[in-house]
Amino acid sequence: MRTRDTLIRSAAEIFDREGFAVASLTAISTLAGVSNGALHHHFTSKAALTDAVEEAALARLLAVTEAGLPLGASRIQLLVDVTHRLATALRGDVVLRAGFELSGEMSRPPHIDLREWWRRWVAETLRQADSEGELRPDVTALDVVSAVVAATVGFEVLGAREAAWLSASTITRFWRLLLPTVVSAALLADLDSKGTGPL
């Protein structure tokens, strides 16, 4: 199991550094410190290894999004907090970062599309926020989903090369700009664009 996990992480590092298309199994096994034979014992092909990277990345994304709603907190605050946690995780976790990058890989269809999974999570969270009266009457959940997903996926893509795009200050500035346009003034006063709790 340790060798398998090492191979997944090594594959993610090579995908992140060199790109999926040019990444070779030899480079991955070398980085992992195992033979090609050992790699093929765990993964029959590059496709199988790539699928495993995406599965591991989804597990990490689930860990980011599965935080429960704190007592008295709004769904919008939960969304703010999770976007901060996602940015932090993308900066520090190469497997999660590679999983997102593989979602945009044009040379193969994703086994697990993390960007689409993230869109669905944001949509469901905003649907709940809307049903609880957190959005302004002139704003639809769909409008906010489009803005949040476009921005966060954009930060993810840009952050792959320049970490400042995934910094807490970047995410905070985004929310400071967006929140006044989507929530009531009464709720806005209770929201923290910097996020709450551990990030």
Side-chain angles (χ1 to χ4, degrees), residues 81-142:
D81 291 355
V82 169
T83 57
H84 274 282
R85 286 198 297 270
L86 177 61
T88 299
L90 284 166
R91 282 196 320 268
D93 188 336
V94 71
V95 174
L96 180 62
R97 199 163 56 243
F100 269 93
E101 290 167 4
L102 287 166
S103 296
E105 177 56 49
M106 301 306 290
S107 66
R108 63 177 282 278
H111 170 61
I112 298 171
D113 188 336
L114 261 66
R115 291 175 182 167
E116 175 57 20
W117 196 97
W118 169 246
R119 186 202 63 77
R120 288 197 306 267
W121 185 87
V122 171
E124 176 57 21
T125 301
L126 283 163
R127 185 197 65 73
Q128 293 173 359
D130 193 25
S131 71
E132 293 169 15
E134 295 182 16
L135 299 182
R136 286 175 29 173
D138 59 331
V139 172
T140 69
L142 184 59

Side-chain angles (χ1 to χ4, degrees), residues 8 80 131:
I8 289 171
V80 171
S131 71

Side-chain angles (χ1 to χ4, degrees), residues 2-77:
R2 186 179 299 123
T3 300
R4 187 179 189 280
D5 290 345
T6 300
L7 285 165
I8 289 171
R9 179 170 178 82
S10 297
E13 289 184 24
I14 296 291
F15 295 161
D16 186 52
R17 188 169 63 224
E18 299 178 11
F20 169 78
V22 299
S24 71
L25 292 179
T26 300
I28 293 166
S29 62
T30 299
L31 182 61
V34 302
S35 67
N36 275 340
L39 185 152
H40 285 289
H41 171 74
H42 291 277
F43 302 103
T44 57
S45 64
K46 183 177 176 181
L49 177 54
T50 304
D51 289 352
V53 170
E54 288 177 317
E55 289 163 9
L58 177 59
R60 286 158 163 82
L61 181 56
L62 286 170
V64 169
T65 59
E66 283 184 343
L69 189 65
L71 189 62
S74 67
R75 300 282 173 184
I76 296 295
Q77 187 64 63

